[in-house]
Amino acid sequence: MHEIPIRSFAVSVVVLRPAGSTFEVLLLKRTGTLAGTWCQVAGAIEAGETAWQAGLREVGEETGLRLDRFYSADICEQFYEADRNAISLLPVFVGFAPGDATVRLNAEHSDFRWVSFDDAIRMVPFAGQRKVLKHVRDEFVDNQPNPWLLIRETAPGGRIG
């Protein structure tokens, strides 16, 4: 019997900002791989990093945002990659940005939008992304986030992000 490898080499971050009595989701339009598709912040874990540190770094690199709060979403995004014949598991994090935060994209993305959860669920191309967004809405917007999921560690200088 041959097994399919399971890889966990990257992270996914759903970034939210306040919008009236609810929150909006940040979606980024990709260049390069999957060009033209909308996605959340995602990226590889570098040597010596924890998954949550990679998540914070990726948010900074891809958007320039500094987050107020950062949580483990208590879920993994998972998908099968046919070209690698592997299952990928990405730990998901949730970051809360200030309402007046300015997004500065890097070259990995050509556009961004702050959208409602319903719009985000319609815009992302993969079922796994939609599942993650529904989970985040249920656990972080429609309900108070579990305080045990808050990542209290901070970046150098004492601030998240």
Side-chain angles (χ1 to χ4, degrees), residues 10-161:
V11 297
S12 177
V13 183
V14 177
V15 178
L16 307 176
R17 77 170 181 185
S21 62
T22 189
F23 289 89
E24 293 177 316
V25 179
L26 178 63
L27 290 184
L28 309 172
K29 192 177 221 181
R30 295 183 59 91
T31 60
T33 305
L34 300 173
T37 61
W38 291 97
C39 65
Q40 63 278 22
V41 173
I45 302 168
E46 295 181 354
E49 282 184 322
T50 64
W52 68 263
Q53 289 168 332
L56 284 175
R57 178 183 50 74
E58 288 290 342
V59 168
E61 288 177 2
E62 293 184 11
T63 70
L65 292 173
R66 293 179 61 90
L67 303 174
D68 293 332
R69 291 175 289 145
F70 195 66
Y71 291 85
S72 165
D74 200 26
I75 192 172
C76 288
E77 185 176 343
Q78 60 186 27
F79 49 91
Y80 173 74
E81 294 179 277
D83 60 333
R84 292 188 171 106
N85 189 37
I87 297 168
S88 292
L89 285 175
L90 282 64
V92 178
F93 300 92
V94 177
F96 288 87
D100 61 351
T102 301
V103 175
R104 291 183 312 279
L105 296 177
N106 68 2
E108 295 176 51
H109 306 285
S110 62
D111 197 6
F112 73 92
R113 290 189 191 158
W114 290 101
V115 298
S116 69
F117 273 91
D118 287 342
D119 286 344
I121 289 166
R122 282 191 292 274
M123 291 170 69
V124 295
F126 300 108
Q129 291 172 298
R130 291 187 288 275
K131 180 179 178 181
V132 164
L133 288 168
K134 290 173 185 175
H135 172 83
V136 169
R137 179 174 54 192
D138 290 346
E139 297 297 326
F140 291 85
V141 175
D142 293 346
N143 293 289
Q144 286 294 317
N146 182 329
W148 292 105
L149 299 176
L150 180 65
I151 296 170
R152 297 184 188 281
E153 298 290 330
T154 56
R159 291 242 8 221
I160 291 290

